[in-house]
Amino acid sequence: MKFQAIKGVRDILPPESALWNRVEQTAREVFGTFGFAEIRLPIFEQTDLFARSVGQETDIVSKEMYSFEDRDETSISLRPEATASVVRAYIQHGMQTLPGNVKLHYMGPMFRRERPQKGRYRQFYQIGAEVLGASDAPGIDAEVIEMLMTLFERLKLKGAVLNINSIGDKNCRPAYVEKLRAELVKVREQLGEDSKRRIETNPLRVLDSKLEQEQGIIEKLPRIAEHLCENCREHYAEVKRQLGLRGIVYQENWRLVRGLDYYMRTTFEITAPGLGSQNAVCGGGRYDGLVELLGGPATTKGIGFAIGTDRLVLSLQEAGEDAAQDGPAGKAAGPDVYLAWFGAAAQSAAIGLAKRLRDAGFVVELPAVEMKFGKSLGLADRLGSRHAVIVGDDELAAGIVTVKRLSDGAQQKVGEQELFSYLRTAQNPGI
Ligand code: HAM
């Protein structure tokens, strides 16, 4: 019997994993400069946490969660997203007493039982960040988006498009939703099955529909921008002004409503090229009522985003931004030194030399068993080693090693001090 990874779940292998590391490391660096610290969250939580925050009627909760009954009969779910967990942790640890805004970032796997396709998996990864605190100042929204765009710029992600919208708050949205529902009821028979159902459950989500036959109908529906209350309208206008102050280019998209129930006011999404139909590389927005909904202080507001790491990596690969980024410190894959040894005494010397080379930061491949000379050097080549360092009886007796540059076969005999400076110069030819 041959085992296979489960449908929609995959392995991330070298050298691709090096690009993942670079993306995650760059996110840590950029987010760090904005004052965000990392939170590590559990992979599973009580099912109710997601049902309450993401929403019982959403696709995520109603049909995509991996839920199971624990031995004590509580219902547990693999996390489909992490905002709910961040808010749960914020409340559980009384973080509202911390000074200023609480700024947290996280990364890791999420689980949704969606139909797998390019850029859509059942175990996928997110890099996310959340700001929780007493202020809902539009400058926070703009700074969170600025941080995101800074990361994409640092990663040389080309063609990213930022879409923004405001979906109002509990003062103005209910009336708009009713208006929308009333209009949708009139055209009910022309709608697809999903949208028909959503007239009852969540009319806003109809705006998200990609169904061809519905596009003409949706264009004629009432738009939320014309139904925002004074406070929401001002907030949205100020978010746009603040984005302008930061030189951030955006598109307004009145149909951007997002698929999770906790959002209010600002919503945003970023699309990237090379992803086909699953082109949203990041989604986020403001969720001011969520902390209160989960039993925390009513005064705490929140905003954040999550990047789909799988999609970000895919887009970078499609643009050729993954080239020559493998191996430690961004060098091409393959060891700096293949340490070929011949004879028991040489093995002992080679073990010591390998340790000193690795301590100095060189990538060293040390054969675990003795091989014939030709076979050993052949392997050095196939591994993509830059140098072979040869330790045999002759070398041992003379207190030297032979170093061979594998690109052109040039070789010389050197003492250990010389070997280190030779390898250093080879690594940084400019120095
Ligand atoms: P979301 O829009 O559900 O938002 O997911 C964010 C991103 O995760 C998406 O834009 C996409 O790139 C990626 N993603 C989602 N599902 C999949 C999948 N099945 N396969 C691959 N990638 C996927 C959230 O999760 C919110 N928690 C974001 C947030 C944080 N809002 C405020 N704070």
Side-chain angles (χ1 to χ4, degrees):
M1 170 157 182
K2 249 197 195 158
F3 291 106
Q4 297 264 326
I6 289 166
K7 188 176 171 201
V9 164
R10 65 207 179 111
D11 305 303
I12 293 150
L13 307 173
E16 187 184 319
S17 50
L19 179 57
W20 280 72
N21 284 336
R22 179 164 71 94
V23 166
E24 291 176 348
Q25 185 51 31
T26 310
R28 285 199 168 91
E29 282 165 20
V30 171
F31 295 177
T33 64
F34 282 80
F36 283 70
E38 181 165 4
I39 181 168
R40 298 201 179 202
L41 299 158
I43 301 279
F44 53 84
E45 300 263 11
Q46 282 177 46
T47 300
D48 271 353
L49 173 67
F50 302 116
R52 291 204 110 202
S53 36
V54 176
Q56 194 73 55
E57 300 297 335
T58 57
D59 287 352
I60 295 176
V61 170
S62 65
K63 49 187 187 200
E64 295 170 0
M65 281 209 297
Y66 285 94
S67 302
F68 60 95
E69 197 169 273
D70 204 351
R71 284 164 197 264
D72 65 2
E73 293 178 5
T74 51
S75 177
I76 287 186
S77 295
L78 298 186
R79 61 182 187 190
E81 63 107 51
T83 307
S85 298
V86 171
V87 172
R88 196 257 316 130
Y90 176 89
I91 299 168
Q92 184 177 337
H93 303 288
M95 288 192 236
Q96 72 273 11
T97 59
L98 296 172
N101 286 322
V102 174
K103 302 195 256 186
L104 299 167
H105 72 81
Y106 52 84
M107 46 188 74
M110 309 291 157
F111 306 85
R112 296 182 194 174
R113 200 175 192 289
E114 296 191 78
R115 200 167 43 77
Q117 64 182 83
K118 181 180 177 185
R120 200 209 266 154
Y121 311 99
R122 290 180 172 178
Q123 173 174 336
F124 62 98
Y125 294 78
Q126 285 186 345
I127 298 174
E130 316 287 348
V131 181
L132 292 146
S135 168
D136 61 358
I140 300 174
D141 306 39
E143 194 178 71
V144 160
I145 293 173
E146 180 187 1
M147 178 166 92
L148 198 48
M149 299 317 272
T150 306
L151 172 62
F152 289 161
E153 209 177 280
R154 197 73 61 85
L155 290 170
K156 300 196 173 68
L157 179 75
K158 304 218 174 60
V161 176
L162 168 65
N163 282 273
I164 62 166
N165 192 23
S166 173
I167 56 167
D169 65 6
K170 58 178 185 291
N171 296 317
C172 51
R173 192 167 40 191
Y176 170 71
V177 169
E178 275 323 305
K179 195 167 235 115
L180 200 57
R181 184 174 278 136
E183 290 305 311
L184 287 169
V185 166
K186 292 183 201 161
V187 292
R188 186 186 181 92
E189 288 321 307
Q190 300 162 52
L191 298 174
E193 284 313 308
D194 280 344
S195 294
K196 271 188 190 148
R197 188 167 37 80
R198 285 174 174 150
I199 297 179
E200 261 62 66
T201 58
N202 188 355
L204 271 185
R205 290 281 288 152
V206 175
L207 304 182
D208 228 11
S209 161
K210 308 262 181 328
L211 211 65
E212 198 53 48
Q213 74 194 68
E214 296 179 345
Q215 299 309 307
I217 302 168
I218 293 171
E219 276 309 305
K220 295 197 207 90
L221 291 171
R223 305 190 171 199
I224 181 113
E226 286 134 33
H227 296 83
L228 293 177
C229 60
E230 192 59 30
N231 286 344
C232 286
R233 201 172 327 129
E234 274 173 21
H235 191 275
Y236 188 37
E238 183 60 13
V239 169
K240 290 186 277 186
R241 195 184 75 87
Q242 291 273 345
L243 287 172
L245 290 179
R246 291 166 170 80
I248 293 166
V249 182
Y250 57 85
Q251 281 180 5
E252 285 184 75
N253 178 358
W254 71 279
R255 289 176 56 178
L256 180 62
V257 292
R258 314 267 305 124
L260 303 89
D261 282 355
Y262 50 61
Y263 291 112
M264 54 165 287
R265 292 194 173 164
T266 315
T267 55
F268 55 93
E269 230 165 66
I270 294 166
T271 58
L275 296 174
S277 63
Q278 302 304 315
N279 66 350
V281 77
C282 172
R286 181 162 277 292
Y287 48 85
D288 292 347
L290 183 58
V291 174
E292 185 181 12
L293 182 71
L294 296 181
T299 45
T300 302
K301 316 285 200 296
I303 181 166
F305 63 79
I307 298 165
T309 318
D310 307 75
R311 295 184 191 174
L312 176 56
V313 165
L314 210 57
S315 187
L316 290 170
Q317 286 171 326
E318 300 272 330
E321 281 301 331
D322 55 337
Q325 290 294 346
D326 319 325
K331 292 176 298 185
D336 298 313
V337 172
Y338 179 94
L339 222 176
W341 53 270
F342 305 96
Q347 180 182 27
S348 150
I351 288 169
L353 179 57
K355 176 170 167 48
R356 292 187 292 282
L357 284 165
R358 286 171 178 149
D359 285 349
F362 295 107
V363 180
V364 178
E365 183 70 21
L366 180 71
V369 294
E370 187 164 5
M371 281 186 274
K372 293 234 158 51
F373 188 84
K375 204 172 157 201
S376 201
L377 276 268
L379 180 58
D381 238 354
R382 280 185 288 125
L383 289 175
S385 323
R386 275 168 291 286
H387 300 93
V389 168
I390 299 154
V391 190
D393 289 340
D394 296 349
E395 281 88 358
L396 264 187
I400 52 158
V401 297
T402 300
V403 55
K404 178 172 179 178
R405 188 164 60 208
L406 293 176
S407 58
D408 60 1
Q411 70 176 55
Q412 52 184 297
K413 293 191 186 307
V414 292
E416 188 163 321
Q417 287 300 322
E418 273 177 285
L419 173 67
F420 276 75
S421 51
Y422 173 89
L423 292 173
R424 269 196 204 100
T425 317
Q427 223 166 30
N428 302 298
I431 297 172

